[in-house]
Structure formats: structure tokens, C-alpha cells
Amino acid sequence: MVTPDPAAPLTPAAQRVLDAASELFYERGIHAVGVDGIAEAAGVTKKTLYDRFGSKEALVVAYLRARDARWRAHLLATLDRVPSPGTARVLAVFDAAESWSTANSPRGCSAINARAESFPGDGDAVLAEVAAQKAWQVGLLADLCREAGVREPEDTARALMLLYEGAIVTVGMGTFDRPFARARSVAAAVLGLDDPSPTA
Amino acid sequence: MVTPDPAAPLTPAAQRVLDAASELFYERGIHAVGVDGIAEAAGVTKKTLYDRFGSKEALVVAYLRARDARWRAHLLATLDRVPSPGTARVLAVFDAAESWSTANSPRGCSAINARAESFPGDGDAVLAEVAAQKAWQVGLLADLCREAGVREPEDTARALMLLYEGAIVTVGMGTFDRPFARARSVAAAVLGLDDPSPTA
DNA sequence: TCGTCAGTAGACCGACCGGTATATCGTCGC
DNA sequence: GCGACGATATACCGGTCGGTCTACTGACGA
């Protein structure tokens, strides 16, 4: 009870807490949001919040996991619509990222943002979670490169990861418009394609 | 006195405050650091801190400006060593970024990190400062591209900016090693060069 | 010599922080 | 009928937050 099972299905109140926390953490940052505010936004008492999640840090990790799960579902659904062997599936990652960021991520990547306000000794669980998410992402790119028969898939995946990370940060910073479209065309060049420019 | 002149030279105590704040803000994030801790680390009372900077937010802006000024000085010094017309000067930005990040930036870009914990309505001055820094950076890349006779310098600068931002974020996240070396070789390809690979 | 200014020392403010406590209630399943 | 459970309400904890205040010291310049 001090550390509730993170794999257990969420009670209705716990779900409301997680939803409220997700929105507040993403919009304002983690340190700027207090547990009192989360509880109030969820229409729940602090007692319930602590009964369900155990600590603020555990709630932060739950937020990061839930958000990443949504992104992966969106990404995998996009990939499912692209026939299996080929570089088009690699580029589809950038299409998925663009539609995702337009709809859900005006402030960039929750993992990157969370990492920006965590440091070793305070927030170790958060650091571990964001590292795992980024490792998964670069691993997926490598898998897609291998599947497409790209030479040096690991190296290429890292190059693509730079473009992906740069684009999502640029979304958050607002440095210029439609960074994922641009990232996609550079990615196509990296893969040795003539820019197929599938996005408008 | 309520709002000290930001252009005035810093008194010795103010400099110590800024130095202490810079280290703490960068290492732990802005919200996680209190003014009491900064004053203590600087060997200064809170009174002095507020006399010199007026508010925590103003101190944050001063921190971002000072750090960016150091980066620009490092970058411009690096560029001074590369003969004037040519794509080598564009790529030198990545060399400068790699040496800078190795020495000063294990946690990535202070502007990106600051942006991650700011939101409109609280931290507007911070948001304005980080936007200005990123605009300057992409503008410099465009200038270097123009100078080198690159076609479509604005578009190319944005592609390079994606690589630059992706690399500095990857430094902070620790996703893989030496992201700037990889970014540089992709940048060379973007510029239409055979990878000259000037970094070891 | 008299201000002015940088600085120290330290008390104080209300608000908020993450987290815990006790006690009560309704709805289930056994 | 009774306990387990989800949830409520409310009060409380020590500590920290950003920020202000009065009072004093020391140095430099007109």
C-alpha cells in the first residue's frame, strides 16, 4: 500500500488523477505543479492520490509511461498502414511524429522536458524512464533500417534520431514551422532517396 | 533599484551570485533551485541578491544571457580560425558545439531546459530570451550558408538547425555517444559534400 | 566630512511544498 | 452481516518558497 502496484488497472479516481496530472505536468512542467493542484483538478483528495500512487515521483513516472504508451500506439498504428519491407516505413516515423505533435505536443517531448528538471539523486526513477524511452525509440529506428536493408542500420538510426529529436525540440521552441516535414526530407536524403516529399 | 539596470557592470557580489546561480540552475534546473540556496552558495545575503537582480526571474534571464554570451564567444572564436568563404565554416559550428558541450554542457542546452519549465503567464521573460537565442542561432547558420554560396540558405540552415538541436538534446539525454560528430557528418551530406570527417 | 553605495546580518511575511493522520461513508462480494 | 475497498473530508506536519524589511558597516568620492 505504500507502493501501489504500477501494473494494476487504475480505479476511476486514479485515472482522473493521472489525466489531470498529465495535462498539468505537460503544460507547466513538473516542479511547477503541486500535488494539491493535481488533486483539486481531478476532483479528488490528496489522500486518494497518495493511496493510489504513493508519491509524486511515482505519479510523474506514471505520467511519462502513459504518454509514451499513447505515442507508441500512434506510431505503431501508422506503421501498420505502410507495407512491410522498405524505407517508406522509416520515413513514416516522421509522418507519425508530425501528426502526433500537431495534435498532442505543442510543447515538445515530455521525456526531454522531464529530463530538463531532473537530476541524479532526485528523480532517479524519472531519469531511468526517459532513458528507456529514448533507447526504445532509437532501437525502433534501427529495426526499421535493418528491415529496409539500409547499410549500417545502427549508424543510420542515430542520424535519424538526431533529426527526430531536433524536430520535436523545434516544435517546443517554436524556432520555425513544420520541423518534422523538414526532418523527413533530410531523412530521405540520409537514406539515399530522392526527396519523395509525401507530406504536403 | 526595484529593477536594476541589466546592462550595468556587475558588482563583485553580483558576479558571485550569477556564477552560483548559473551552476545551480544548469545542474539542477530552475524550479528546483531556491534563492536562499543561491545566496548561500554565493556567500551573499538574499538582500544583496534582490538589490542586484530584482527578482528570481530576472536572475534566470541574466543566467541564460551570460551562458549564451559564453557560447557565442566560443563559437565566434572557432569560426575565426576557419578561412572565410566556404562550407567548412558551416561545419565548424558543429566542431565548436562538440568542444563546447564536452567542456560545459553535459546536461544539454540551457535554453531548451529553461523552456521546458516555463509557460506563458509565468516566465514570459524567459520564453522571450530563449526564443531570441534560437533565432540568433538559426540566423547565423543561414548567414554562413549564404556566405558559402549554398543554394536555398534558409532551408538548409533549418535542416542544419535540426541536426544541431538534436545533437545537443542527445548530449543531455545520453542516448548515444558523440552526437555532434554524427551530426556534423550528416550536415556535410546535407551540404552536398563527401563526408570530410575532420573530427577524429 | 558628509553622502552615497555595496554589502552583511538576520528577522519576518504569507503562501505553498510533499506527505501523513484520523475518521466517515457507500458499495460491493462473501 | 461483515469486512475489504475506493473514496471522501479535513486537519495537520515540518520545511521551503519568493520576497521584504530594518539596522548596521565599510569604503570611496566630492
Side-chain angles (χ1 to χ4, degrees):
Chain A
M1 91 184 40
V2 283
T3 25
D5 182 2
L10 296 175
T11 65
Q15 187 63 56
R16 264 157 37 221
V17 168
L18 184 54
D19 291 344
S22 294
E23 182 169 343
L24 289 169
F25 284 152
Y26 186 73
E27 294 300 326
R28 308 191 185 191
I30 291 166
H31 277 107
V33 174
V35 288
D36 301 80
I38 295 168
E40 189 185 350
V44 149
T45 61
K46 277 210 289 181
K47 176 76 160 64
T48 299
L49 187 155
Y50 274 92
D51 282 348
R52 299 297 135 234
F53 294 95
S55 71
K56 183 185 182 182
E57 185 176 22
L59 178 55
V60 172
V61 172
Y63 145 66
L64 292 171
R65 275 209 246 268
R67 207 181 150 87
D68 190 51
R70 263 178 278 142
W71 153 243
R72 288 199 316 267
H74 174 79
L75 172 56
L76 264 23
T78 303
L79 286 174
D80 274 348
R81 292 195 291 272
V82 182
S84 186
T87 51
R89 279 168 66 80
V90 181
L91 295 180
V93 172
F94 293 89
D95 295 329
E98 168 144 52
S99 56
W100 169 264
S101 70
T102 302
N104 303 283
S105 303
R107 276 178 48 83
C109 173
S110 54
I112 292 172
N113 293 351
R115 155 86 222 208
E117 30 183 343
S118 303
F119 55 94
D122 182 83
D124 292 315
V126 172
L127 293 174
E129 176 61 26
V130 303
Q133 292 185 10
K134 291 307 178 186
W136 182 89
Q137 186 63 53
V138 72
L140 177 98
L141 286 168
D143 289 345
L144 291 173
C145 284
R146 253 187 302 272
E147 174 193 290
V150 173
R151 284 172 305 172
E152 313 210 58
E154 318 282 349
D155 272 18
T156 304
R158 291 175 179 183
L160 298 173
M161 189 70 178
L162 292 178
L163 292 165
Y164 170 85
E165 295 284 62
I168 197 160
V169 163
T170 298
V171 167
M173 305 291 285
T175 311
F176 53 84
D177 281 346
R178 303 207 56 206
F180 275 112
R182 203 164 307 264
R184 192 202 145 108
S185 72
V186 179
V190 166
L191 293 169
L193 283 65
D194 300 337
D195 185 350
S197 185
T199 30
Chain B
M1 83 186 48
V2 282
T3 25
D5 181 1
L10 295 176
T11 65
Q15 187 63 57
R16 263 156 40 220
V17 169
L18 184 54
D19 291 344
S22 294
E23 183 169 344
L24 289 169
F25 283 152
Y26 186 72
E27 293 301 325
R28 306 191 184 192
I30 291 167
H31 277 107
V33 174
V35 288
D36 302 79
I38 295 168
E40 188 185 349
V44 149
T45 59
K46 277 209 289 182
K47 174 77 160 61
T48 299
L49 186 156
Y50 275 94
D51 282 349
R52 298 297 134 232
F53 294 95
S55 71
K56 184 185 182 181
E57 185 176 21
L59 178 55
V60 171
V61 172
Y63 145 67
L64 291 171
R65 275 209 246 268
R67 208 181 149 87
D68 190 53
R70 262 178 277 140
W71 153 244
R72 289 198 315 268
H74 174 80
L75 173 56
L76 265 22
T78 303
L79 286 174
D80 273 349
R81 292 195 292 272
V82 183
S84 187
T87 51
R89 279 168 66 78
V90 181
L91 295 180
V93 172
F94 292 88
D95 294 330
E98 168 144 51
S99 57
W100 170 264
S101 69
T102 302
N104 304 283
S105 302
R107 275 178 49 84
C109 174
S110 54
I112 292 172
N113 293 352
R115 156 85 222 210
E117 30 184 342
S118 303
F119 55 94
D122 182 82
D124 292 315
V126 172
L127 294 173
E129 176 61 27
V130 303
Q133 292 184 11
K134 291 306 178 187
W136 182 88
Q137 186 64 53
V138 73
L140 177 99
L141 286 169
D143 289 345
L144 291 173
C145 284
R146 254 188 302 273
E147 174 193 288
V150 173
R151 281 173 306 172
E152 313 211 57
E154 318 282 350
D155 271 20
T156 305
R158 290 176 180 182
L160 297 173
M161 189 71 179
L162 292 178
L163 292 165
Y164 170 85
E165 295 283 63
I168 197 158
V169 163
T170 297
V171 167
M173 303 291 285
T175 311
F176 52 84
D177 281 345
R178 302 209 55 207
F180 275 113
R182 202 165 307 265
R184 191 201 145 109
S185 73
V186 179
V190 167
L191 292 169
L193 282 61
D194 299 337
D195 186 349
S197 185
T199 30

